[in-house]
Amino acid sequence: MKNSGKGFIFLAVMLPFVAEAQLSNPQQKTMIYPETKQENVKGTYFGTTVADPYRWLEDDRSEETKLWVEAQNAVTKAYLAKIPYRNDIRERLKKLMNYEKYSQPFKEGGYTYYYKNTGLQNQSVLYRQKEGGAPEVFLDPNTFSKDATSSMAGISFSKDGSMVAYQVSDGGSDWTRVIVLKANDKSVVGETLTDVKFSGIAWQGNTGFYYSSYDKPAEGSQLSGLTQYHKLFYHKLGTAQKDDQLIFGGDKTPRRYIGAGLTEDQHYLIISAANSTSGNELYIKDLKTKDGKIVPVVTNFDKNHSIIDNIGSKLFIYTNLNAPNGRVVTVDAAQPGVENWKELIKETENVLNASTGGGKLFADYIKDAVSMVLQYDMNGKLEHEIKLPGLGTAGGFGSKKEDKELYYTFTSYVYPATIFKYSVETGKSEVYKKSGVDFDPSNYESKQVFYPSKDGTKVPMILTYKKGIVLDGKNPTVLYGYGGFNISLTPAFSTANIVLMEQGGIYAVANLRGGGEYGEKWHLAGTKMQKQNVFDDFIAAGEYLIANKYTSKDYLASMGGSNGGLLVGTTLAQRPDLFKVAFPAVGVMDMLRYHKFTAGAGWNYDYGTAEDSKEMFEYLYKYSPVHALKPGVKYPATLVTTADHDDRVVPAHSFKFAATLQKDQAGDAPVLISIQTNAGHGAGKPTDKAIEEIADRWSFLFYNMGINYKK
């Protein structure tokens, strides 16, 4: 398918004094934090009163919140700056990351386009070249803003490649603006579209395109206010955005998420609509029929579906309806209802992701969290199994129908991301671009283990480390997890992890329930009133690592972001004795109020909400990180990270968690929060900010484990 697409009393002038006088030595045992005012604010849920003393931190526009952020950042920066080897780690990271990086190329019009980063550029640059010609810069996001905090958030070309629309995110926000160009001379066409969010761009010919957005929040700021209902618009070039035609959504068909795309032949408009992060409706519109109607294909939100291709009126649909691990079906567009679907690729024991390219179907299976890719013809006949370099993750099997070759990327925890060129006819692959990172895979190894969770469920985990390490329980180990939203953690190389492994460290990734590694059943086993399974799986992973002497509680750290930040926050509260260090990043920490901000209400499929029922409230209240912390407990050394422009998981979650943890901490371990400015949930983060964040993490880890960093 084409392009489917806050207060306490604290004076600002006191900040330097706090940073220097209170934390002149990071080895100081007793931390002194900025005072955080507690207010007598409460909520009532099914007769239970819940104190919410830090609710004022939810107001991201208030001067009090701003001062609190500045005070906390001052304390954190002063602590980290005193760690003697932090600069050494930062310089090592800069050296490791200073190599050319390329994306998979793609063809539009008479050009081949690709992204390239010369090494330490904050944003990757989009280049293009004609066959036999020299590369030229097409778009350089480093020029979008003075500090490189504006980034490219998406790009879409018209079918003939002559028109292009690209999205710009400022400061990491999910809100974007859309700029339209003539591809040939890069001249701007029409006005810039604003206030676009969670949107692809689907061109219809060269005269206009479809995009999605929300009304601006009626209450609160644009970065934290609730965004309820998505709207699909058609924008005709040369007209004002205020005159754009509403195609789907709004008052008549209110949906939280709406996406659109066109089939490659421009025959059908495809609309996907959902109210949560799992399950969607599906609609089509025949664009070759005058006054064609929007026709339903699937009219409930029970399962996931997407149209991946068509041949004339024959539609190819990926679905997990009656197939928890996924399958591919076909149907005629004239009668597209579920009752007329015909199975083309059957469900297997492995989880399926499907795409098309070069007139073929590619079935990308996840088998025990690693990739296996098969090529089928459009009649469902198996043609090739793609021979991959090893156990890892392959991705990118998609291209135009006429392409004779396509590109994919393969990576693993010990295999830097490499781009391969693939012949659709022969099924042979060849290296197109090899990673230039200074890393010798022969010195490292990855090992998959299966361990029992609390209820006996076998959970896979991949451990990566330098060959020859001694299992004496003294290896600094980072346990990473996510466990939610049907997302699969498959092997991927990280330059940042080289620093950990060079110091004898272990990077462990547990494939927890709630993810998608074993299909819908695995996902559902970690949702709503089964969510404790996710935390049990993560705790059991830590216990396995200790029992098998990979590490010990004095050398074990937990790490996760977003839903994974929730994971780290909850397990820190439930098992503070298990971890020495914790890294909750951009986490969902207040489970009673998460659905009241931005698009948070869409997460209710995984979490449920405190308003659903008394039972659901009590379940959430018990594990919610902000509420599960208790005074007088010795908690791990914790570095909370968030960003002021995170409008996916608003920073108030992390603010309230850090304030509560600082208040309740009975031990000597530090509780710090780092709040990046002009940054968001993670996408588009400039290289320099990423390096600073990683240097902070490893410095904090080694220092609090008592490990001397070796150059």
Side-chain angles (χ1 to χ4, degrees):
M1 190 173 85
K2 179 80 170 173
N3 303 321
S4 315
K6 294 190 191 200
F8 72 110
I9 299 172
F10 195 89
L11 299 176
V13 294
M14 293 176 63
L15 291 176
F17 173 79
V18 171
E20 191 63 33
Q22 294 183 355
L23 287 168
S24 60
N25 186 346
Q27 299 184 44
Q28 191 172 307
K29 289 297 184 181
T30 303
M31 295 291 298
I32 302 175
Y33 306 105
E35 180 185 352
T36 306
K37 185 181 71 174
Q38 299 184 60
E39 295 185 332
N40 186 28
V41 178
K42 298 176 182 178
T44 302
Y45 305 84
F46 301 97
T48 299
T49 300
V50 179
D52 195 0
Y54 304 124
R55 188 178 293 184
W56 60 271
L57 285 167
E58 293 177 359
D59 185 355
D60 60 306
R61 299 173 298 175
S62 81
E63 186 66 17
E64 286 182 310
T65 300
K66 178 183 176 183
L67 290 174
W68 185 89
V69 167
E70 291 174 349
Q72 292 286 349
N73 271 343
V75 169
T76 300
K77 288 177 180 178
Y79 180 95
L80 294 169
K82 301 296 183 180
I83 297 176
Y85 40 73
R86 185 188 177 280
N87 286 338
D88 293 334
I89 293 175
R90 181 177 56 191
E91 291 306 309
R92 179 60 178 147
L93 285 166
K94 287 174 68 175
K95 184 177 179 180
L96 287 169
M97 293 184 176
N98 192 11
Y99 66 94
E100 288 187 338
K101 308 165 188 71
Y102 292 85
S103 74
Q104 294 173 207
F106 56 97
K107 296 179 180 179
E108 301 290 352
Y111 291 92
T112 296
Y113 291 81
Y114 60 92
Y115 291 91
K116 176 186 173 182
N117 191 308
T118 57
L120 296 177
Q121 287 178 286
N122 278 313
Q123 305 288 344
S124 293
V125 178
L126 181 60
Y127 289 81
R128 69 177 179 182
Q129 67 183 115
K130 288 188 175 181
E131 187 172 349
E136 64 175 356
V137 172
F138 184 66
L139 286 171
D140 183 359
N142 295 289
T143 65
F144 291 175
S145 61
K146 290 182 178 180
D147 59 0
T149 57
S150 294
S151 62
M152 188 116 71
I155 191 166
S156 175
F157 289 81
S158 62
K159 180 175 171 59
D160 67 4
S162 67
M163 301 297 296
V164 60
Y166 66 96
Q167 299 185 61
V168 177
S169 164
D170 295 312
S173 172
D174 284 329
W175 292 97
T176 67
R177 46 195 167 93
V178 179
I179 301 169
V180 182
L181 306 175
K182 290 181 180 179
N184 185 45
D185 60 7
K186 295 186 281 187
S187 59
V188 176
V189 178
E191 67 177 39
T192 295
L193 275 61
T194 60
D195 301 323
V196 177
K197 187 172 184 178
F198 295 157
S199 179
I201 297 171
W203 282 92
Q204 184 176 349
N206 294 323
T207 58
F209 54 82
Y210 300 87
Y211 70 96
S212 307
S213 196
Y214 300 91
D215 293 333
K216 284 187 176 181
E219 297 180 6
S221 77
Q222 191 164 351
L223 291 174
S224 63
L226 188 65
T227 47
Q228 272 290 71
Y229 299 121
H230 229 181
K231 296 178 179 180
L232 177 66
F233 293 100
Y234 175 75
H235 176 70
K236 185 177 181 180
L237 297 187
T239 65
Q241 183 179 5
K242 65 180 178 61
D243 297 325
D244 288 350
Q245 180 185 359
L246 178 64
I247 303 298
F248 192 89
D251 295 337
K252 292 184 178 180
T253 49
R255 303 290 185 267
R256 190 164 284 116
Y257 308 113
I258 301 172
L262 269 68
T263 52
E264 190 176 332
D265 61 4
Q266 302 265 297
H267 192 152
Y268 298 101
L269 171 67
I270 301 161
I271 301 173
S272 173
N275 282 329
S276 192
T277 52
S278 189
N280 67 289
E281 300 171 315
L282 204 55
Y283 299 86
I284 59 171
K285 179 181 180 181
D286 190 333
L287 297 176
K288 294 189 175 181
T289 301
K290 189 177 181 181
D291 300 323
K293 304 292 185 183
I294 294 176
V295 177
V297 180
V298 180
T299 56
N300 62 67
F301 306 102
D302 294 343
K303 304 295 177 182
N304 300 312
H305 328 272
S306 61
I307 296 175
I308 58 175
D309 208 343
N310 74 303
I311 298 176
S313 65
K314 186 178 183 180
L315 306 176
F316 294 77
I317 301 174
Y318 166 84
T319 181
N320 66 350
L321 177 65
N322 300 322
N325 289 343
R327 60 178 177 150
V328 176
V329 300
T330 62
V331 72
D332 192 279
Q335 295 180 310
V338 172
E339 66 277 6
N340 298 314
W341 290 2
K342 297 179 181 178
E343 194 164 71
L344 186 70
I345 298 180
K346 295 182 178 181
E347 179 191 27
T348 71
E349 62 182 1
N350 301 312
V351 178
L352 170 67
N353 290 298
S355 61
T356 60
K360 305 294 181 180
L361 275 166
F362 290 90
D364 187 349
Y365 291 100
I366 300 176
K367 184 176 183 179
D368 290 334
V370 299
S371 291
M372 177 181 72
V373 186
L374 305 178
Q375 175 183 315
Y376 293 86
D377 69 14
M378 299 306 286
N379 294 313
K381 179 184 176 183
L382 178 63
E383 293 184 334
H384 304 293
E385 177 176 352
I386 287 78
K387 187 176 181 181
L388 301 175
L391 298 178
T393 304
F397 292 90
S399 69
K400 295 180 173 62
K401 286 184 180 180
E402 66 270 18
D403 290 344
K404 302 299 181 185
E405 57 193 20
L406 53 80
Y407 300 87
Y408 68 90
T409 300
F410 180 83
T411 183
S412 76
Y413 294 117
V414 293
Y415 195 103
T418 301
I419 303 171
F420 289 85
K421 181 189 289 186
Y422 176 78
S423 169
V424 173
E425 182 180 355
T426 67
K428 304 293 184 182
S429 301
E430 62 180 70
V431 173
Y432 175 76
K433 287 286 184 186
K434 190 176 181 181
S435 172
V437 66
D438 181 16
F439 177 80
D440 184 354
S442 66
N443 292 331
Y444 297 84
E445 62 180 306
S446 271
K447 173 185 178 183
Q448 188 173 53
V449 299
F450 292 83
Y451 65 88
S453 189
K454 184 177 180 179
D455 62 359
T457 300
K458 293 293 182 182
V459 181
M461 176 167 57
I462 297 181
L463 315 177
T464 307
Y465 45 82
K466 200 169 187 178
K467 290 179 179 177
I469 66 167
V470 179
L471 301 185
D472 59 0
K474 293 184 179 180
N475 302 299
T477 299
V478 173
L479 175 60
Y480 182 86
Y482 188 81
F485 297 96
N486 201 34
I487 292 173
S488 301
L489 295 185
T490 59
F493 186 80
S494 168
T495 306
N497 289 339
I498 298 175
V499 173
L500 173 67
M501 295 188 297
E502 284 178 337
Q503 303 299 312
I506 299 172
Y507 185 66
V509 179
N511 298 108
L512 316 171
R513 280 175 284 186
E517 291 87 350
Y518 293 105
E520 186 182 31
K521 292 180 180 178
W522 194 254
H523 173 214
L524 292 177
T527 61
K528 292 183 177 175
M529 297 188 75
Q530 304 297 316
K531 188 67 178 176
Q532 185 60 41
N533 286 334
V534 184
F535 311 134
D536 290 342
D537 290 355
F538 197 65
I539 290 168
E543 291 173 335
Y544 174 91
L545 292 167
I546 292 170
N548 289 274
K549 297 194 178 302
Y550 287 100
T551 192
S552 63
K553 66 180 181 179
D554 289 329
Y555 298 97
L556 178 62
S558 60
M559 186 168 73
S562 197
N563 175 73
L566 163 64
L567 171 72
V568 172
T570 298
T571 52
L572 175 152
Q574 293 184 356
R575 286 294 306 275
D577 61 308
L578 188 60
F579 305 101
K580 184 70 173 179
V581 179
F583 295 109
V586 294
V588 187
M589 300 303 202
D590 186 341
M591 298 307 295
L592 303 187
R593 290 177 58 78
Y594 76 86
H595 56 295
K596 297 182 180 295
F597 305 100
T598 64
W603 311 334
N604 64 350
Y605 185 92
D606 257 53
Y607 296 150
T609 75
E611 282 90 17
D612 288 347
S613 67
K614 185 175 186 290
E615 292 75 18
M616 192 73 252
F617 154 68
E618 290 174 345
Y619 195 88
L620 290 167
Y621 186 33
K622 184 177 180 180
Y623 79 75
S624 174
V626 166
H627 304 96
L629 296 171
K630 305 299 178 189
V633 177
K634 293 183 178 180
Y635 289 106
T638 304
L639 179 58
V640 182
T641 52
T642 187
D644 65 350
H645 277 58
D646 189 346
D647 46 4
R648 189 84 55 86
V649 180
V650 295
H653 283 282
S654 294
F655 295 173
K656 293 166 78 171
F657 179 75
T660 306
L661 189 55
Q662 287 178 350
K663 173 179 66 70
D664 290 348
Q665 174 67 295
D668 296 328
V671 174
L672 303 177
I673 180 169
S674 177
I675 305 118
Q676 287 197 339
T677 56
N678 284 321
H681 199 59
K685 183 174 291 186
T687 299
D688 57 5
K689 285 183 180 289
I691 289 173
E692 291 295 321
E693 187 175 288
I694 298 164
D696 289 348
R697 181 201 310 158
W698 295 144
S699 301
F700 189 83
L701 177 91
F702 295 141
Y703 183 79
N704 281 283
M705 289 183 178
I707 294 170
N708 289 318
Y709 175 80
K710 302 179 183 66
K711 282 188 175 183

